Amino acid sequence: MELKLATAEKQVLEELVKLVQSRGLCGENGGWKEFLDAKDKKKIGSPNDPSKRSHDELVAFLTTFKKKQDLQVLKCHANFLLIDKLEQESPVQSLVRLTVEHPAYSLDYSFEPHSEDWFVSDVGMKTSKVMESTEMVAVDCEMVLCDDGTEGLVRVGIVDRHLKVILDEFVKPDRPVVDYRTDITGITAEDIEKATLSLVDIQETLQPFLSNGAILVGHSLNKDLEVLKIDHPKVIDTALVFKYPNARKPRRASLNNLCKSILGYEVRKAGVSHDCVNDATAAMKLALAVIEKRANTTIPPSKEMLEVEKAKLFIHKIPHNVTSEELEQVLSGEFTLDVKPAKTSRGCYCAFVVFRSSKEADQAFENVDGDQGQDSFGLPQKLVVFKLTSGSRVSIYVRKMVEDGSA
């Protein structure tokens, strides 16, 4: 921590001391006042204002904080200050700015409080050169459902700016798995049995990139960072960067739709499981399309995209204890489930149901046994109550993706 603080800008150190004062935090030798009393002893008129103190004095005080929880608080605040100073002249930094200025950013990327096993980036305490680095690495993870209702990391794909694969490995989860979501993840119990890496190993692989100021790139990257237990301020989230024009609500474009619209290919085909390296590569290509080719971040929905949306249903407010197999019993026909993890460990999750055609999706919705109504935006949906294998009864909502009769 001392070396990291020694390279920090004085203005950052001043703000960290002010944070310590406002929160009443104490290091090994007490708070800011106690530190100054011990240092100045009987000097009269010594300034308490951090801005009136030298860089070395500020470092000396802040290095008295040894508890991991206190260090995480200091790092997070330094990272916040870093984001607040980002300039838009660089095309790369402008994408970071687009991400952090999105209305959903503050909620999606609020990971505090951190448990002991989180890695909190220290980039906000580095020199300006490190903080302004435009190096990028893209990340995508595959997750399974664990017995405590949380997401477990089971595979990680990482690529650099040149699309070179840095890592593509299975990860052994630290909790028992109750649903491998094989249709989506492509991962089986046999794959996990062969895994030798842990979450800590993945954090250690990424740590040098993050400490050197690299920008993390991904699609809905907050979900990957949450399961990786990494808090890093410099991120480009393609789900927040790109948007549809004249949208009646801030609806996010899927990775597949972005690839079709901007890159001209599908990264995911119906019925084919995810590949985290392919998804990480796609996210990096999307970022590079804006940075190097000045691609527009506003994308028009094509007729094909609308047809794709019509061929889907959306299930939401799904209790964490409902498995994919139990969810499939609610619907009829041939389809693929695309599960989206909950934002909290025991919260409700959601899933897209992908059919081969809009006709099949409409028929499946018609066959759902439930009370029909509309959501807050007027889309048709049904409230479904059914019994789990455990005997308990739960309720979910099944909704159409577009209004009836949309052209």
Side-chain angles (χ1 to χ4, degrees):
M1 181 84 176
E2 292 185 26
L3 180 60
K4 297 167 187 173
L5 282 171
T7 62
E9 295 181 351
K10 184 172 183 292
Q11 184 179 359
V12 172
L13 298 176
E14 292 170 7
E15 292 300 323
L16 292 180
V17 172
K18 291 177 183 178
L19 175 73
V20 166
Q21 289 179 290
S22 66
R23 294 198 179 187
L25 301 179
C26 294
E28 290 186 328
N29 303 320
W32 177 238
K33 185 177 184 302
E34 289 77 16
F35 170 80
L36 294 180
D37 288 344
K39 185 180 184 304
D40 297 336
K41 295 183 179 178
K42 296 183 180 180
K43 289 183 182 178
I44 299 175
S46 297
N48 292 332
D49 185 351
S51 65
K52 306 294 185 184
R53 292 289 179 161
S54 71
H55 182 281
D56 290 344
E57 288 175 313
L58 299 175
V59 170
F61 169 63
L62 291 170
T63 51
T64 65
F65 289 84
K66 306 295 183 184
K67 294 179 182 178
K68 187 169 184 178
Q69 184 177 3
D70 291 337
L71 299 182
Q72 287 177 335
V73 169
L74 294 175
K75 289 178 184 178
C76 283
H77 192 63
N79 291 341
F80 169 78
L81 296 172
L82 162 64
I83 291 299
D84 200 44
K85 292 196 302 181
L86 277 181
E87 298 182 357
Q88 296 193 47
E89 282 75 6
S90 162
V92 178
Q93 302 289 18
S94 68
L95 289 188
V96 178
R97 175 66 69 179
L98 277 176
T99 298
V100 301
E101 288 182 346
H102 191 281
Y105 174 82
S106 58
L107 177 62
D108 289 353
Y109 288 85
S110 295
F111 300 127
E112 295 185 71
H114 306 95
S115 56
E116 286 287 317
D117 53 354
W118 272 72
F119 169 72
V120 180
S121 169
D122 60 356
V123 67
M125 296 178 175
K126 298 296 185 69
T127 61
S128 295
K129 184 177 180 180
V130 172
M131 291 190 290
E132 294 169 4
S133 170
T134 56
E135 180 185 4
M136 299 187 295
V137 290
V139 181
D140 189 76
C141 301
E142 297 296 347
M143 290 85 93
V144 294
L145 181 65
C146 296
D147 65 346
D148 60 355
T150 62
E151 299 290 315
L153 176 68
V154 289
R155 191 178 181 185
V156 182
I158 305 173
V159 301
D160 66 13
R161 182 172 182 155
H162 306 290
L163 309 182
K164 178 183 177 182
V165 178
I166 297 172
L167 186 74
D168 179 17
E169 295 285 350
F170 290 108
V171 182
K172 190 174 287 295
D174 56 3
R175 299 174 301 282
V177 177
V178 296
D179 188 356
Y180 285 93
R181 300 167 177 165
T182 303
D183 289 345
I184 303 161
T185 64
I187 293 172
T188 64
E190 290 73 24
D191 294 323
I192 303 307
E193 287 175 3
K194 301 173 187 175
T196 59
L197 297 181
S198 67
L199 172 63
V200 174
D201 294 324
I202 305 302
Q203 290 176 336
E204 291 177 351
T205 299
L206 280 167
Q207 186 172 344
F209 295 97
L210 306 184
S211 293
N212 287 329
I215 298 167
L216 285 181
V217 180
H219 190 81
S220 296
L221 182 62
N222 59 302
K223 296 174 183 176
D224 300 298
L225 294 185
E226 190 160 9
V227 75
L228 287 168
K229 297 188 176 179
I230 290 176
D231 194 342
H232 183 64
K234 297 175 67 177
V235 295
I236 294 174
D237 189 336
T238 53
L240 304 185
V241 167
F242 295 92
K243 61 182 183 296
Y244 290 115
N246 304 319
R248 61 174 185 163
K249 57 180 178 176
R251 182 168 159 244
R252 304 181 193 187
S254 69
L255 181 62
N256 208 35
N257 281 350
L258 286 176
C259 287
K260 286 190 288 185
S261 178
I262 296 173
L263 304 178
Y265 76 93
E266 284 186 285
V267 69
R268 296 174 181 170
K269 295 186 182 295
V272 179
S273 58
H274 293 183
D275 183 305
C276 53
V277 169
N278 288 346
D279 287 359
T281 300
M284 181 63 79
K285 285 181 176 179
L286 288 168
L288 292 174
V290 178
I291 295 165
E292 297 176 353
K293 300 178 181 179
R294 299 296 190 267
N296 198 329
T297 56
T298 300
I299 56 166
S302 64
K303 291 181 179 180
E304 181 188 9
M305 288 182 188
L306 189 57
E307 282 303 312
V308 169
E309 294 301 291
K310 286 182 177 181
K312 295 179 184 177
L313 296 178
F314 181 60
I315 310 178
H316 60 113
K317 296 186 179 178
I318 310 169
H320 68 88
N321 59 326
V322 178
T323 66
S324 296
E325 289 77 14
E326 290 171 318
L327 208 55
E328 290 173 350
Q329 304 306 311
V330 176
L331 299 162
S332 61
E334 294 185 27
F335 56 83
T336 301
L337 273 181
D338 185 4
V339 175
K340 304 300 180 184
K343 291 183 178 180
T344 58
S345 61
R346 300 187 69 81
C348 293
Y349 68 99
C350 61
F352 290 97
V353 190
V354 184
F355 294 87
R356 292 176 298 184
S357 68
S358 58
K359 184 177 181 181
E360 291 185 17
D362 287 340
Q363 187 60 55
F365 183 80
E366 186 68 27
N367 293 341
V368 170
D369 184 15
D371 297 328
Q372 183 164 345
Q374 294 181 333
D375 73 351
S376 57
F377 293 99
L379 295 176
Q381 73 174 3
K382 290 184 178 181
L383 172 62
V384 183
V385 180
F386 65 103
K387 184 182 290 187
L388 302 179
T389 54
S390 63
S392 60
R393 298 180 70 82
V394 296
S395 63
I396 60 173
Y397 285 91
V398 180
R399 193 198 74 193
K400 288 191 173 185
M401 294 295 293
V402 295
E403 296 177 8
D404 289 329
S406 295

